[in-house]
Amino acid sequence: MLDDFMVRATLAGIGVALAAAPLGCFIVWRRMAYFGDATAHAAVLGVALSLALDMSIFLGTVAVSLVMAATVTLLSQRSYAMDTLLGVMAHSALAFGLVAVSFLSGIRIDLMAYLFGDILAVSRTDLAVIWCGAALVVALTAWRWSALLTSTLNEELAYASGMDPRREQMVLTLCLAITVAVAIKVVGVLLIAAMLIIPAAAARTLSRTPEAMAMFAAAIGGLSAILGLRSAYILDTPAGPTVVCVAALCFVGLGLFSAVSEPKNRHP
């Protein structure tokens, strides 16, 4: 069954959706959209260093993403505005990554595949890495769910409950770095943030609890992967961007549905 490239692509898309769903919820709740973007852009530098050092792209991407996140956390404590700092880091990391790639002589690299994804070229090994990474992210998030949620809602309450918000931030950062590393093959660097944010934002209109929002986000992300791949196959369009387009249409559709139905609920 896994010999069919469309089956592998679909399973890869669903795996990324499962990993991105809970993280996307925290990114939306914490208003950290640009943080996800910066981490994704740093992945290009991770890819370049991995190829130069002949090491696993997954490990290189995770390492660079964690260094970038630690740098942002450190500099944010030194009176830099967070949005300015993330803007500088996001674009700088992408630029340094592209420059580093240009120095790789003797190595054939399809840069567009890393920027926009190449989900149709996912191998069995890639599929194993994606699902192992997704399982790790889901396990970490489930383990620290209560602490992450409390730290997100109120840092003072977290301290009063014996939790360290900075530690929970690092857990979230680690999960984000792993998600970026497994998603880079599927949707690419430039679209990873979209798959983190759009399904979670769409799920917000359907949810009454944080847990429900995470589950709806996973469902919307998985559905977007399935429908996006099918649409790309029929329309002969790029697979990764098409998946994101379907997710965006889900967001718009659910938003319009919520806007139309809300007055009826308010005035029965």
Side-chain angles (χ1 to χ4, degrees):
M1 184 180 71
L2 293 181
D3 291 334
D4 190 329
F5 73 96
M6 283 297 290
V7 173
R8 293 196 302 270
T10 301
L11 291 175
I14 293 173
V16 169
L18 291 177
L23 293 182
C25 293
F26 283 109
I27 287 175
V28 169
W29 293 331
R30 290 177 176 234
R31 295 178 173 86
M32 290 172 56
Y34 220 171
F35 188 82
D37 211 28
T39 306
H41 285 182
V44 176
L45 182 57
V47 169
L49 293 178
S50 298
L51 294 174
L53 299 175
D54 194 22
M55 61 182 290
S56 166
I57 289 178
F58 176 81
L59 294 178
T61 303
V62 170
V64 171
S65 298
L66 287 175
V67 169
M68 191 283 304
T71 303
V72 169
T73 302
L74 179 64
L75 292 178
S76 65
Q77 299 171 357
R78 300 182 179 275
S79 72
Y80 288 97
M82 182 58 78
D83 59 341
T84 301
L85 187 58
L86 287 174
V88 171
M89 294 299 293
H91 300 299
S92 299
L94 181 60
F96 276 110
L98 294 175
V99 170
V101 166
S102 69
F103 284 109
L104 296 176
S105 59
I107 298 178
R108 295 186 62 184
I109 176 174
D110 183 4
L111 191 58
M112 294 298 288
Y114 289 106
L115 292 178
F116 296 102
D118 192 9
I119 189 172
L120 298 180
V122 168
S123 65
R124 292 188 179 191
T125 302
D126 294 328
L127 198 57
V129 170
I130 288 170
W131 275 90
C132 287
L136 181 57
V137 169
V138 171
L140 277 173
T141 308
W143 175 46
R144 303 303 303 170
W145 180 265
S146 179
L148 283 168
L149 193 57
T150 303
S151 300
T152 297
L153 295 175
N154 192 309
E155 288 193 1
E156 287 75 16
L157 178 60
Y159 279 119
S161 302
M163 303 171 186
D164 186 355
R166 291 173 297 181
R167 181 183 61 195
E168 305 310 323
Q169 174 71 28
M170 287 308 300
V171 171
L172 191 62
T173 299
L174 174 61
C175 290
L176 185 59
I178 294 172
T179 301
V180 167
V182 300
I184 191 170
K185 183 78 173 181
V186 177
V187 290
V189 168
L190 300 181
L191 300 176
I192 290 174
M195 284 305 292
L196 282 167
I197 298 165
I198 296 176
R204 197 169 194 171
T205 61
L206 302 173
S207 312
R208 293 182 179 272
T209 65
E211 293 79 10
M213 182 171 166
M215 288 188 287
F216 276 124
I220 292 170
L223 183 64
S224 299
I226 295 170
L227 295 180
L229 283 169
R230 183 62 180 170
S231 300
Y233 181 78
I234 295 172
L235 301 174
D236 193 24
T237 55
T242 304
V243 169
V244 175
C245 287
V246 171
L249 290 175
C250 289
F251 170 75
V252 173
L254 289 172
L256 292 175
F257 175 77
S258 177
V260 171
S261 62
E262 189 174 348
K264 294 180 181 180
N265 294 333
R266 197 173 296 170
H267 303 287

